[in-house]
């Protein structure tokens, strides 16, 4: 029997230095395996070291501690990934903020069915009132919308299972799908999707499932003009293409995640989206 391998302070320092140099954890792991580390020891050393380092960084900089976030398996830069019942294309990815544009997450028929099922139930959109934890009509969000319950019908259940497989996140941690319809001139001004812990209403909201840690905005049609989803911190704009979706994750409720985003005004035609928000814990 070989003697167990021990993780030294020097190894920890090396792991942190690799991460700071922009090396992805998968590449660091491969380097450790190549130099003779046993896989289980290497994985544990890597996970513990990076988690402790991030927690220490958060403490020192007065930031909320990081959470684990949903993440598609994009090792080896695939052009498409299998999402349980359908292949989804990888159109573009960004590391910081974490943004992934998916192609063909929904079929044309699924988009049309979501529109048809939600249309009779639309009401003027409300946003969460940060003071009370309730909701309010907000001038920054000039759309109409509705929520499906999770698993409310076979279509929602199928899409929810697909998203869970795609981003490796428990189905139970997802909110029900939200549908939004924007007419000409309607927009969703830039905001963060997490709940600001400093706001008095957040405590009530967070009791059910904890923080939001990821968002998927699915485009159910293509407006004739306008309606892109923008990330102003990084000058990114995602075009609304029917069946495509933009995913982004945020490991703490803080602007340092650079996930400020908004829906540009629709210039001509209308825009329909389905939004899925993913929580840290079970959303029951
Ligand atoms: O419709 C959009 O592009 C959009 C933009 C920003 C949707 C959301 N946020 C959202 O539903 O959170
Ligand atoms: Zn949003």
């Amino acid at each position: 029997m070989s003697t167990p391998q021990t993780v030294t302070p020097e190894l920890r320092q090396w792991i942190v230095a690799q991460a700071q140099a922009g090396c992805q954890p998968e590449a660091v792991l491969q380097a450790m395996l190549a130099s003779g580390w046993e896989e289980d020891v290497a994985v544990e050393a890597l996970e513990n070291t990076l988690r402790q380092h991030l927690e220490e960084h958060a403490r020192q900089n007065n930031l909320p501690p990081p959470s684990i976030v949903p993440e598609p398996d994009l090792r080896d830069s695939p052009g498409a990934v299998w999402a349980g019942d359908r292949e989804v294309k990888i159109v573009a990815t960004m590391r910081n903020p974490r943004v992934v544009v998916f192609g063909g997450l929904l079929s044309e028929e699924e988009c049309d069915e979501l529109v048809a099922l939600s249309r009779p139930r639309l009401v003027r959109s409300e946003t969460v009132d940060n003071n009370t934890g309730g909701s309010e009509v907000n001038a920054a969000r000039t759309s109409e919308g509705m929520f499906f319950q999770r698993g409310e019908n076979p279509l929602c259940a199928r899409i929810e299972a697909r998203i869970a497989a795609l981003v490796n996140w428990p189905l139970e941690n997802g909110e029900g799908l939200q549908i939004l319809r924007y007419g000409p001139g309607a927009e969703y001004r830039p905001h963060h999707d997490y709940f600001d812990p400093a706001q008095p209403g957040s405590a009530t909201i967070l009791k059910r499932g904890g923080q939001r840690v990821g968002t998927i905005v699915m485009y159910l049609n293509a407006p004739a003009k306008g309606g892109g989803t923008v990330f102003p911190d990084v000058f990114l704009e995602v075009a609304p293409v029917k069946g495509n979706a933009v995913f982004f994750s945020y490991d703490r409720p803080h602007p340092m995640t650079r996930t400020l985003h908004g829906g540009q005004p629709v210039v001509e035609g209308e825009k329909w989206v389905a939004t899925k928000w993913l929580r840290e814990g079970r959303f029951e």
Side-chain angles (χ1 to χ4, degrees), residues 94 96-97 190-192 194 230-237 254-262:
M94 186 180 253
N96 182 10
H191 59 276
H192 295 97
Y194 54 73
V230 289
F231 294 79
D233 292 342
V234 289
F235 306 99
L236 174 67
E237 176 163 354
H254 194 277
M256 64 147 330
T257 57
R258 311 210 288 176
T259 54
L260 186 70
H261 66 287

Side-chain angles (χ1 to χ4, degrees), residues 141 178 180 182 188-194 212 215 217 229 248 250 259 261-263 275 277:
R141 196 177 180 194
Q178 181 202 230
L180 291 178
Y182 306 76
Y188 197 168
R189 292 198 201 132
H191 59 276
H192 295 97
D193 282 352
Y194 54 73
R212 285 178 177 161
T215 304
V217 178
T229 304
F248 50 99
Y250 24 99
T259 54
H261 66 287
T275 303
W277 286 296

Side-chain angles (χ1 to χ4, degrees), residues 110-126:
E110 288 171 334
C111 292
D112 296 343
E113 200 182 332
L114 281 176
V115 168
L117 288 171
S118 60
R119 192 189 287 278
R121 292 166 57 180
L122 293 179
V123 288
R124 173 81 194 268
S125 289
E126 300 190 332

Side-chain angles (χ1 to χ4, degrees), residues 1 89 107 131-132 150-151 158 166 172 175 194 209 228 249 276:
M1 217 178 84
K89 294 192 183 71
S107 70
N131 287 309
T132 64
R150 202 174 61 221
R158 184 164 83 232
L166 182 63
E172 297 75 27
E175 297 181 31
Y194 54 73
S249 65
K276 179 82 178 167

